Amino acid sequence: ARLSGVRLRDVLPRAELRGAEDLVVSSVCADSAAVRPGDVFVAVKGHNHDGHNYVADAVMKGAAAVITERHYPALRIPVC
């Protein structure tokens, strides 16, 4: 089930959020193919795939923010 209207600060109160003080997101997703506008994309490095390679795809699909271990200075959306 997808959550609706969750404040990112409510979910991650101590996280460093670059690019915004807070924002309302639709859902959290780690699969770039399933990202919908308003979602937060979580770039996870797995055994077979590295989600960091799909950050651009998630942004093109409308991700509202990205949670990542890497720095992406060119992104025009909030990064955590």
Side-chain angles (χ1 to χ4, degrees), residues 58-71:
V59 171
M60 287 180 18
K61 289 185 174 196
V66 175
I67 296 175
T68 178
E69 296 176 340
R70 299 182 188 162
H71 183 62

Side-chain angles (χ1 to χ4, degrees), residues 8-60:
L8 198 54
R9 282 279 173 229
D10 289 344
V11 179
L12 301 168
R14 295 184 182 165
E16 178 186 344
L17 183 60
R18 294 179 300 270
E21 194 63 31
D22 194 8
L23 72 149
V24 175
V25 298
S26 302
S27 185
V28 177
C29 186
D31 179 355
S32 65
V35 169
R36 296 183 188 170
D39 287 355
V40 174
F41 176 66
V42 181
V44 177
K45 184 173 182 177
H47 294 295
N48 297 317
H49 300 283
D50 185 347
H52 295 91
N53 296 332
Y54 302 97
V55 168
D57 293 338
V59 171
M60 287 180 18

